[in-house]
Amino acid sequence: MKQFNPFREKILLLLLAGFALCFTYSPHRQRRIFKATCRAWKKINEKKLKQEIFNLHRSRLIERKRDSNGLYTYILTDKGKLKALGCQLKKMKNRKTKWSGKYMVAMFDIPEDLKKTRDTFRRKLKEIGFYELQKSVFVFPFNCRKELKFLIDFLHLKNYVKYGFLELCDDNHLKKIFGLN
């Protein structure tokens, strides 16, 4: 994956936080997302922000809409959401936690008419660090339920993907792959 400007990445992630509010039904969690987003927006240099918004718009990662009051609203495009999701998943991949001895398993049966979406899902799982155990079975040694659920919701794959935790016997091969020895 091409190196992405950290400032631009931060803007995309902040815009993605607004998108995440749509998937969050808990008022407590919504309040936490909103507070964190407000603090992060206040720390951004305004001149630099305007330049990056222009660049994001030109790159078609965000689109600008004008309302009846003459105010502009910036919205992540699907391309922008996917890019922001990739940034979020990249950060998650680098997060190190203590291994519980169980693997997060994602299994799917996505129909042929959704081939592009299936390929995107498979590619994103690999970007996170999942290992392809079989063509439609991926494993990862750490808990990433929140990120996986977000990816499934974002790609509208809820009816096709099942995930959970699994303790595997004779997993020396996987321990070696993930560096858990």
Side-chain angles (χ1 to χ4, degrees):
M1 183 189 271
K2 188 175 81 170
Q3 186 65 21
F4 203 56
N5 175 335
F7 190 72
R8 187 178 294 182
E9 183 177 307
K10 183 175 183 175
I11 293 168
L12 282 175
L13 290 172
L14 287 170
L15 290 171
L16 187 65
F19 184 70
L21 284 171
C22 299
F23 290 109
T24 305
Y25 299 108
S26 161
H28 177 69
R29 189 168 283 153
Q30 287 175 340
R31 191 171 37 256
R32 281 188 13 220
I33 291 171
F34 190 70
K35 276 184 176 180
T37 304
C38 286
R39 280 193 302 268
W41 275 115
K42 287 178 184 176
K43 293 178 184 178
I44 291 179
N45 177 309
E46 195 172 325
K47 185 177 178 183
K48 197 172 178 182
L49 175 64
K50 287 179 182 178
Q51 181 61 43
E52 284 304 326
I53 287 176
F54 174 78
N55 291 337
L56 288 167
H57 185 259
R58 194 177 61 205
S59 301
R60 292 190 173 92
L61 295 173
I62 62 173
E63 63 182 33
R64 183 173 73 173
K65 295 191 178 191
R66 191 174 190 168
D67 68 9
S68 58
N69 298 332
L71 298 173
Y72 289 105
T73 303
Y74 292 92
I75 302 165
L76 278 173
T77 62
D78 285 343
K79 180 181 174 185
K81 289 175 190 171
L82 210 52
K83 188 70 164 179
L85 182 63
C87 295
Q88 184 69 26
L89 296 177
K90 183 179 71 179
K91 285 183 179 183
M92 192 224 68
K93 178 183 178 181
N94 297 327
R95 184 179 68 200
K96 298 291 182 199
T97 57
K98 188 175 186 284
W99 185 47
S100 68
K102 295 183 180 181
Y103 294 90
M104 173 123 269
V105 178
M107 303 169 285
F108 54 91
D109 188 12
I110 302 170
E112 192 62 30
D113 60 321
L114 296 173
K115 186 179 189 311
K116 281 187 176 184
T117 306
R118 181 180 62 212
D119 292 343
T120 299
F121 182 66
R122 189 176 275 131
R123 188 175 62 253
K124 291 296 177 189
L125 288 176
K126 288 178 182 177
E127 282 177 22
I128 294 171
F130 273 81
Y131 173 73
E132 188 174 345
L133 202 56
Q134 292 182 0
K135 204 64 173 158
S136 61
V137 179
F138 285 75
V139 295
F140 189 65
F142 302 108
N143 183 353
C144 58
R145 182 185 323 206
K146 183 174 69 173
E147 292 85 355
L148 190 57
K149 183 180 179 338
F150 184 79
L151 180 61
I152 292 165
D153 289 343
F154 177 75
L155 294 173
H156 307 290
L157 296 174
K158 188 177 180 180
N159 296 329
Y160 310 109
V161 181
K162 302 293 179 223
Y163 60 93
F165 296 98
L166 185 63
E167 191 172 322
L168 294 172
C169 300
D170 193 26
D171 62 344
N172 292 331
H173 174 68
L174 289 175
K175 285 181 181 176
K176 192 173 188 177
I177 289 170
F178 291 115
L180 298 171
N181 288 334

